[in-house]
PDB file of all heavy atoms in Angstrom:
ATOM      1  N   ASN A 420      -5.450 -16.732  -0.084  1.00 95.00           N
ATOM      2  CA  ASN A 420      -4.830 -15.809  -1.032  1.00 95.00           C
ATOM      3  C   ASN A 420      -3.808 -14.916  -0.333  1.00 95.00           C
ATOM      4  O   ASN A 420      -4.103 -14.356   0.717  1.00 95.00           O
ATOM      5  CB  ASN A 420      -5.903 -14.896  -1.628  1.00 95.00           C
ATOM      6  CG  ASN A 420      -6.417 -15.416  -2.936  1.00 95.00           C
ATOM      7  OD1 ASN A 420      -6.547 -16.630  -3.115  1.00 95.00           O
ATOM      8  ND2 ASN A 420      -6.717 -14.515  -3.848  1.00 95.00           N
ATOM      9  N   HIS A 421      -2.646 -14.798  -0.931  1.00 96.00           N
ATOM     10  CA  HIS A 421      -1.659 -13.839  -0.460  1.00 96.00           C
ATOM     11  C   HIS A 421      -1.256 -12.991  -1.658  1.00 96.00           C
ATOM     12  O   HIS A 421      -1.497 -13.373  -2.801  1.00 96.00           O
ATOM     13  CB  HIS A 421      -0.432 -14.547   0.124  1.00 96.00           C
ATOM     14  CG  HIS A 421      -0.732 -15.359   1.345  1.00 96.00           C
ATOM     15  ND1 HIS A 421      -0.897 -14.815   2.582  1.00 96.00           N
ATOM     16  CD2 HIS A 421      -0.927 -16.697   1.494  1.00 96.00           C
ATOM     17  CE1 HIS A 421      -1.157 -15.770   3.464  1.00 96.00           C
ATOM     18  NE2 HIS A 421      -1.186 -16.927   2.832  1.00 96.00           N
ATOM     19  N   GLY A 422      -0.615 -11.875  -1.393  1.00 94.00           N
ATOM     20  CA  GLY A 422      -0.184 -11.007  -2.479  1.00 94.00           C
ATOM     21  C   GLY A 422       1.329 -10.857  -2.459  1.00 94.00           C
ATOM     22  O   GLY A 422       1.891 -10.417  -1.467  1.00 94.00           O
ATOM     23  N   CYS A 456       3.415  -8.894   1.817  1.00 96.00           N
ATOM     24  CA  CYS A 456       2.112  -9.434   1.435  1.00 96.00           C
ATOM     25  C   CYS A 456       1.156  -8.266   1.248  1.00 96.00           C
ATOM     26  O   CYS A 456       0.972  -7.464   2.145  1.00 96.00           O
ATOM     27  CB  CYS A 456       1.586 -10.386   2.498  1.00 96.00           C
ATOM     28  SG  CYS A 456       0.016 -11.134   2.022  1.00 96.00           S
ATOM     29  N   GLU A 458      -2.090  -8.653   0.148  1.00 94.00           N
ATOM     30  CA  GLU A 458      -3.480  -9.111   0.119  1.00 94.00           C
ATOM     31  C   GLU A 458      -3.834  -9.454   1.555  1.00 94.00           C
ATOM     32  O   GLU A 458      -3.150 -10.284   2.175  1.00 94.00           O
ATOM     33  CB  GLU A 458      -3.570 -10.361  -0.770  1.00 94.00           C
ATOM     34  CG  GLU A 458      -4.956 -10.917  -0.941  1.00 94.00           C
ATOM     35  CD  GLU A 458      -5.822 -10.046  -1.831  1.00 94.00           C
ATOM     36  OE1 GLU A 458      -5.341  -9.627  -2.893  1.00 94.00           O
ATOM     37  OE2 GLU A 458      -6.973  -9.783  -1.442  1.00 94.00           O
ATOM     38  N   PHE A 459      -4.878  -8.822   2.090  1.00 95.00           N
ATOM     39  CA  PHE A 459      -5.189  -9.073   3.503  1.00 95.00           C
ATOM     40  C   PHE A 459      -5.505 -10.553   3.708  1.00 95.00           C
ATOM     41  O   PHE A 459      -6.370 -11.109   3.064  1.00 95.00           O
ATOM     42  CB  PHE A 459      -6.360  -8.218   3.980  1.00 95.00           C
ATOM     43  CG  PHE A 459      -6.624  -8.434   5.443  1.00 95.00           C
ATOM     44  CD1 PHE A 459      -5.765  -7.904   6.390  1.00 95.00           C
ATOM     45  CD2 PHE A 459      -7.673  -9.233   5.870  1.00 95.00           C
ATOM     46  CE1 PHE A 459      -5.970  -8.142   7.740  1.00 95.00           C
ATOM     47  CE2 PHE A 459      -7.888  -9.474   7.215  1.00 95.00           C
ATOM     48  CZ  PHE A 459      -7.024  -8.928   8.151  1.00 95.00           C
ATOM     49  N   CYS A 460      -4.734 -11.184   4.615  1.00 95.00           N
ATOM     50  CA  CYS A 460      -4.855 -12.630   4.763  1.00 95.00           C
ATOM     51  C   CYS A 460      -5.094 -13.051   6.209  1.00 95.00           C
ATOM     52  O   CYS A 460      -5.131 -14.235   6.510  1.00 95.00           O
ATOM     53  CB  CYS A 460      -3.604 -13.312   4.217  1.00 95.00           C
ATOM     54  SG  CYS A 460      -2.081 -12.643   4.915  1.00 95.00           S
ATOM     55  N   HIS A 464      -1.162 -10.523   8.819  1.00 95.00           N
ATOM     56  CA  HIS A 464      -0.905  -9.999   7.467  1.00 95.00           C
ATOM     57  C   HIS A 464       0.232  -8.979   7.443  1.00 95.00           C
ATOM     58  O   HIS A 464       1.110  -9.020   6.582  1.00 95.00           O
ATOM     59  CB  HIS A 464      -2.204  -9.389   6.942  1.00 95.00           C
ATOM     60  CG  HIS A 464      -2.046  -8.486   5.777  1.00 95.00           C
ATOM     61  ND1 HIS A 464      -1.680  -8.940   4.532  1.00 95.00           N
ATOM     62  CD2 HIS A 464      -2.186  -7.140   5.654  1.00 95.00           C
ATOM     63  CE1 HIS A 464      -1.612  -7.903   3.707  1.00 95.00           C
ATOM     64  NE2 HIS A 464      -1.912  -6.814   4.363  1.00 95.00           N
ATOM     65  N   MET A 467       3.822 -10.338   7.512  1.00 95.00           N
ATOM     66  CA  MET A 467       4.177 -11.344   6.508  1.00 95.00           C
ATOM     67  C   MET A 467       5.191 -10.749   5.525  1.00 95.00           C
ATOM     68  O   MET A 467       4.834 -10.212   4.481  1.00 95.00           O
ATOM     69  CB  MET A 467       2.919 -11.814   5.777  1.00 95.00           C
ATOM     70  CG  MET A 467       3.172 -12.960   4.844  1.00 95.00           C
ATOM     71  SD  MET A 467       1.639 -13.740   4.336  1.00 95.00           S
ATOM     72  CE  MET A 467       2.275 -14.758   3.003  1.00 95.00           C
TER      73      MET A 467
HETATM   74 CU1  CUA B 231      -0.406 -12.877   3.427  1.00 79.37          CU
HETATM   75 CU2  CUA B 231      -1.390 -10.771   3.772  1.00 79.37          CU
END
Side-chain angles (χ1 to χ4, degrees):
N420 265 36
H421 296 282
C456 183
E458 182 72 46
F459 183 74
C460 52
H464 163 69
M467 187 166 168

